[in-house]
Amino acid sequence: MSRQSAQAVIALFDSAQALMDAIPKVRATYHGRLEAYTPYPVHGIEKALGIGKSWVGWIVLGMGLLGLCAGFGLQTWVFTTEYPLVFGGKPVFGWPAFIPVTFETTVLLSAFGAVFGMLLVANRYPHLSHPLLSTKAMKSITRDRFALVCEAEKDREIDEDACREVLSAAGGQDLEVVYESAEIGTGELLSPKGVTLGLLICVIAGFGMKEIIIRFPALPPMNNMDEVFRQDAQDPSAFFADGFGMRQPVAGTVARGFMPAVFETAEEADGVLANPMRMTMASLEHGKVLYDQHCMVCHGALGTGEKMMPAYGGVPANLHSQRLREVGDGHLYHVITHGKNTMAGYGKDIAPAERWDLVNYLRALQRSQDATDDDLRLARTVAANSHTESHHD
Ligand code: HEC
């Protein structure tokens, strides 16, 4: 080839109107890639140049849908499959709760789509320069002139003479031809040199930041937790009127695992204070141990009130009286806790749950001395079963 093939032919115009008038004239005979460069946006120019709508919008839509599905899908998987936790009795697939995060991921990926779509697709990054940028014409365009450019495309060269002719005919001045290929000076960012430089910058920035934090400890990255007002347990306080740092619990505070005794008398507790302890074998067995330890000396092994210590002057109650058979569990619990008349209370010695075991045992004891025919039949079956079981042992 005798001379270099032209990559672009540039013609300048003095006004936006002159440029707009020239575009249809050029397009009538030239059908290659035509670009206009102006110092400010000119209305209607895309339409005149026949440029369609940008498809960055479709990238944004695609990325937005991806963010929507990813956000919703991730939460669905985590909450239904990977780590199903029940919050406040709600179903694990509580989709309304997923909306805020789903919204955020949708917006995030849409924004990424818009920014990177524009940079990579529309602005053709990582191509950093373009041959047109170093032309004389481009300097005029940044001030007050308007350019119309016939540009070569990858697989389509331009006819320099024909372009010159059609641009001058349309009123273009100061024609300039660019021979440099648009491929030259591109892709620097991804070259080995560019990548090496990028990595080097990252490493220097990382170690530099570490050095800065070590050398200037007066500048902690976040100091709001150091400076917060703190009251230590045994320290005096200038804030509270009594001068103590530690506070009393609020009036009426109930300790964990402790049931306050709100009843004055056993009669008051009767029928109101409910027995929380199921009458299991374990409860009865423990109740018997407690009874034998604490109560038997006065009330006798069977609860008949036959005291084992004759020297004791009191008259222990017969626990099989009609009245004591008919009182509620709450009544018995109250007597064990606070005592009654000459009998002392056992609230300090026996824990609440154990007192209920004792109540259960008292019930069993009462029934043992006042059994129905059914009870006897049941007892016989149980005894027979335990007899056969003992053979197995
Ligand atoms: C030091 C002897 C003594 C011991 C030990 C004792 N009690 Fe009593 N208990 C009495 C006397 C005396 C009475 C009768 C009080 C009265 O009403 O005057 C009584 C009454 C009772 C009553 C009847 C309350 C009512 O409403 O009339 C129950 C129930 C009772 N005792 C359960 C127990 C239990 C359970 C224990 C073991 C934790 C126990 N007692 C340990 C002396 C004792």
Side-chain angles (χ1 to χ4, degrees):
M1 204 186 271
S2 56
R3 68 172 187 191
Q4 247 183 316
S5 63
Q7 293 298 316
V9 180
I10 313 171
L12 293 178
F13 296 84
D14 285 329
S15 69
Q17 193 53 53
L19 175 73
M20 288 292 278
D21 292 343
I23 290 172
K25 288 181 202 158
V26 174
R27 285 191 70 193
T29 49
Y30 169 79
H31 302 293
R33 181 183 164 105
L34 191 66
E35 289 276 2
Y37 295 87
T38 61
Y40 55 80
V42 175
H43 267 293
I45 199 158
E46 320 85 71
K47 216 171 153 198
L49 283 168
I51 296 173
K53 260 183 118 178
S54 157
W55 45 283
V56 168
W58 291 103
I59 300 179
V60 174
L61 178 70
M63 291 293 279
L65 286 176
L66 183 69
L68 183 116
C69 297
F72 198 85
L74 177 71
Q75 292 175 91
T76 305
W77 174 69
V78 167
F79 287 114
T80 61
T81 313
E82 182 59 14
Y83 209 84
L85 271 185
V86 174
F87 293 101
K90 296 181 189 74
V92 283
F93 182 64
W95 66 267
F98 300 170
I99 292 175
V101 172
T102 305
F103 171 78
E104 296 296 339
T105 51
T106 307
V107 170
L108 182 76
L109 289 207
S110 302
F112 281 165
V115 172
F116 292 109
M118 179 190 76
L119 290 179
L120 297 175
V121 181
N123 293 355
R124 300 195 211 169
Y125 273 94
H127 292 201
L128 291 181
S129 68
H130 190 277
L132 277 184
L133 292 175
S134 51
T135 58
K136 242 167 58 203
M138 195 52 74
K139 294 194 180 78
S140 328
I141 295 158
T142 53
R143 285 198 297 275
D144 59 351
R145 307 200 68 192
F146 301 79
L148 198 57
V149 186
C150 299
E151 288 183 14
E153 285 166 277
K154 244 201 177 98
D155 47 358
R156 185 171 175 171
E157 295 188 350
I158 51 169
D159 180 343
E160 183 186 329
D161 296 328
C163 285
R164 279 175 178 279
E165 203 171 302
V166 70
L167 286 171
S168 331
Q173 304 151 359
D174 303 329
L175 263 58
E176 196 177 342
V177 182
V178 179
Y179 294 106
E180 206 184 337
S181 161
E183 300 303 318
I184 294 173
T186 59
E188 288 116 330
L189 270 189
L190 295 182
S191 69
K193 218 170 95 184
V195 171
T196 314
L197 194 71
L199 284 178
L200 208 65
I201 290 175
C202 291
V203 170
I204 292 173
F207 280 104
M209 183 52 77
K210 178 175 163 250
E211 273 306 300
I212 288 174
I213 291 175
I214 290 170
R215 271 168 206 275
F216 303 102
L219 295 172
M222 201 174 77
N223 63 359
N224 32 2
M225 280 183 114
D226 286 342
E227 310 214 327
V228 74
F229 168 75
R230 193 177 91 177
Q231 174 69 57
D232 283 335
Q234 305 292 338
D235 280 358
S237 165
F239 179 79
F240 294 114
D242 61 6
F244 288 111
M246 285 204 284
R247 301 284 79 210
Q248 293 295 325
V250 177
T253 302
V254 175
R256 271 167 172 262
F258 170 80
M259 192 189 295
V262 291
F263 304 105
E264 290 285 327
T265 65
E267 284 69 24
E268 253 179 79
D270 196 345
V272 184
L273 193 58
N275 186 349
M277 196 64 72
R278 282 183 57 218
M279 198 182 281
T280 58
M281 205 59 207
S283 171
L284 289 175
E285 274 167 2
H286 189 55
K288 176 168 164 49
V289 170
L290 292 168
Y291 182 86
D292 291 353
Q293 282 173 353
H294 296 280
C295 324
M296 194 165 73
V297 280
C298 291
H299 289 284
L302 292 178
T304 48
E306 281 168 48
K307 55 188 178 190
M308 297 166 80
M309 305 177 298
Y312 172 62
V315 185
N318 175 4
L319 302 179
H320 303 288
S321 71
Q322 188 64 26
R323 183 181 62 85
L324 288 177
R325 275 186 189 133
E326 282 167 6
V327 294
D329 284 356
H331 180 109
L332 299 178
Y333 180 88
H334 196 276
V335 171
I336 297 169
T337 307
H338 300 288
K340 188 169 185 188
N341 301 331
T342 49
M343 177 184 144
Y346 286 79
K348 289 217 163 42
D349 304 323
I350 306 175
E354 300 191 296
R355 285 176 231 158
W356 287 114
D357 288 335
L358 205 37
V359 170
N360 284 341
Y361 181 67
L362 291 190
R363 289 309 189 197
L365 207 53
Q366 288 176 333
R367 205 157 153 192
S368 75
Q369 303 301 304
D370 188 32
T372 61
D373 288 350
D374 282 347
D375 286 338
L376 292 177
R377 236 167 272 136
L378 190 68
R380 225 173 281 138
T381 324
V382 172
N385 282 348
S386 65
H387 183 68
T388 47
E389 265 167 29
S390 63
H391 273 294
H392 290 297
D393 294 340

